[in-house]
Amino acid sequence: MSNTKRNGTIDFMRFLFSILIIFAHCNLPSMYSVPKSIFSSGVLGVEFFFIVSGFLMAKSKPSDMPVGQASFRFIVRKYLSFMPVYVFSYIVSITVSAVTRGWDFEKIFSNIGSSVSEIFMVHMSGLSMFDEHTEFIVGASWYLSAMLIAMAVLFPFLYAKRDVFLNIIAPLLSLCLFSYIYIKQGKLSLTTTYADFPVYYGLLRALAEISLGVFCFNISDKIKDVKVTKVMSFILTVVELGCYVWVLAGCYYMPYGSWDFAVVLLLAISVTISFSGKSYSPIIFSAPVFGFLGKFSLSLYLNHYVWYRLLRDLNMKLDFGTEMLIYLGMAFLSAILCLFTTEIIKELWNTKKSDIKKVFIAEK
């Protein structure tokens, strides 16, 4: 992936959709006193992440490498980019689960062994024999697995036949997959439920939405040299932010269902405008804090589920406000600690990389 300046609008939306997902997952005991429609569509925040991932995949610069080598390198880099955050979240999740559920050494060993597919991010392949009741060690990691597998499928075609993929394959594949999911299920919220063939719906979501993100890049790339007036920039800003607000508000009030597919369309429009540089959002979201929130969102996303699971298991009979405060407080605290720890590790690796390699690889 090319190293470009962070997009403040996208980073801020990453953070907001992470918050939305946290609320969607907080099926706490005290939630029974809250109207069921509240937060129920928050899981659709994942759709934003998939679309952005597709956009950035298409944005990666072609090189002279053979297709297989370039594809392998892209997927490995993507995997390594989030592994420090995932490993931290994994350690916290399995430690909390072991303590609160009273796991003995044999149980801990068994759970670590059975989560190997999760560690290598292949648990959304459809061959892991999970079902809709499965809880992974890091509860939200299904998104990363689905993203990587979908990219491993799509990137070689993008790399080898870029023009055909951008203009024909990506939009058609996205349309066909969305049509299939709509006809079969009528909603997008399914993850570890099998389709008519041994592939999870969560992976089909990833394939459809990453392909859509690729198409969004194609549109954005075609208009990048178009000069727009201040009036047009204002209109684009209104449309861009209006679509985001509409989705955020809808995810708060609307139960998931056929509305899901409208969400995807609205997000595609907003993401395309956000990356185009033709609106005023780069000025609105230019402060460094938005870049920090974007980096923080992954830590928050991967570190929240363990606390929902803990509060659910303990069932302390708390009122909704108190339970939510504990849930959000622990999620943010662990995410901050995760970001701080992983940044130190990355900095240490960057400064001591050559010395660390010498420990394991002999010089020629």
Side-chain angles (χ1 to χ4, degrees):
M1 189 178 299
S2 59
N3 292 323
T4 58
K5 185 179 178 181
R6 297 190 70 95
N7 186 302
T9 311
I10 296 296
D11 279 334
F12 184 51
M13 293 304 155
R14 277 194 178 110
F15 175 72
L16 290 184
F17 283 115
S18 294
I19 296 293
L20 206 65
I21 291 168
I22 288 178
F23 282 122
H25 284 165
C26 67
N27 188 20
L28 303 169
S30 62
M31 281 291 288
Y32 293 114
S33 64
V34 179
K36 290 183 179 180
S37 62
I38 295 180
F39 311 131
S40 63
S41 288
V43 291
L44 297 178
V46 174
E47 279 36 78
F48 172 80
F49 297 137
F50 279 140
I51 292 171
V52 170
S53 295
F55 191 104
L56 295 177
M57 182 180 77
K59 193 177 180 179
S60 60
K61 300 293 185 181
S63 68
D64 295 328
M65 289 184 184
V67 175
Q69 184 179 348
S71 301
F72 180 79
R73 184 177 183 182
F74 176 83
I75 296 302
V76 169
R77 283 188 170 183
K78 195 73 176 176
Y79 175 80
L80 294 177
S81 69
F82 59 71
M83 274 312 289
V85 176
Y86 171 79
V87 170
F88 180 96
S89 308
Y90 184 94
I91 293 172
V92 170
S93 296
I94 203 162
T95 300
V96 171
S97 296
V99 172
T100 57
R101 297 179 178 182
W103 291 351
D104 56 19
F105 178 79
E106 182 179 353
K107 183 68 173 177
I108 295 173
F109 187 81
S110 173
N111 277 286
I112 292 175
S114 63
S115 65
V116 169
S117 63
E118 181 183 338
I119 295 170
F120 287 97
M121 293 296 156
V122 295
H123 49 302
M124 285 299 293
S125 62
L127 300 176
S128 300
M129 304 307 292
F130 293 121
D131 58 29
E132 61 267 26
H133 303 296
T134 297
E135 284 194 321
F136 304 119
I137 298 298
V138 180
S141 65
W142 78 269
Y143 154 72
L144 296 175
S145 175
M147 177 190 69
L148 278 181
I149 295 171
M151 285 182 166
V153 172
L154 299 173
F155 186 84
F157 295 100
L158 170 66
Y159 190 86
K161 299 292 182 181
R162 186 174 180 86
D163 179 66
V164 176
F165 192 87
L166 287 174
N167 290 284
I168 299 176
I169 297 178
L172 282 179
L173 180 61
S174 180
L175 179 62
C176 290
L177 288 174
F178 279 129
S179 298
Y180 174 82
I181 296 171
Y182 179 78
I183 292 170
K184 291 294 183 178
Q185 297 295 332
K187 59 184 178 181
L188 285 171
S189 59
L190 299 174
T191 53
T192 53
T193 300
Y194 281 120
D196 291 338
F197 38 92
V199 173
Y200 291 143
Y201 274 106
L203 181 54
L204 295 183
R205 284 168 69 185
L207 288 166
E209 290 156 15
I210 289 175
S211 296
L212 180 59
V214 171
F215 185 59
C216 290
F217 168 81
N218 190 32
I219 296 173
S220 179
D221 190 55
K222 289 181 184 302
I223 64 174
K224 66 180 181 181
D225 295 326
V226 176
K227 294 183 178 180
V228 298
T229 64
K230 292 181 178 180
V231 172
M232 190 62 194
S233 291
F234 176 79
I235 293 172
L236 288 173
T237 305
V238 171
V239 172
E240 173 192 12
L241 300 183
C243 287
Y244 282 135
V245 171
W246 192 276
V247 170
L248 290 168
C251 286
Y252 180 83
Y253 288 108
M254 296 285 290
Y256 50 75
S258 57
W259 145 260
D260 302 357
F261 300 89
V263 166
V264 171
L265 179 59
L266 292 172
L267 288 175
I269 293 170
S270 289
V271 168
T272 302
I273 297 174
S274 293
F275 277 116
S276 71
K278 303 301 179 183
S279 70
Y280 288 118
S281 67
I283 299 173
I284 299 172
F285 299 102
S286 61
V289 65
F290 296 112
F292 169 79
L293 291 176
K295 292 172 64 177
F296 181 67
S297 62
L298 179 61
S299 296
L300 188 60
Y301 176 80
L302 290 179
N303 280 281
H304 78 276
Y305 201 88
V306 60
W307 307 115
Y308 147 66
R309 197 154 50 195
L310 172 65
L311 290 169
R312 182 199 61 192
D313 292 346
L314 294 177
N315 195 2
M316 295 183 290
K317 310 296 183 183
L318 300 173
D319 63 86
F320 173 69
T322 302
E323 197 161 41
M324 280 297 296
L325 188 61
I326 294 173
Y327 171 56
L328 293 175
M330 294 305 296
F332 272 84
L333 184 62
S334 57
I336 291 170
L337 183 59
C338 174
L339 185 62
F340 178 75
T341 303
T342 53
E343 287 298 314
I344 290 178
I345 292 172
K346 288 177 184 177
E347 185 176 348
L348 180 64
W349 169 255
N350 289 331
T351 56
K352 301 291 183 180
K353 181 164 49 177
S354 58
D355 294 332
I356 295 172
K357 285 184 176 180
K358 289 177 183 178
V359 176
F360 303 99
I361 302 174
E363 296 182 349
K364 296 181 180 180

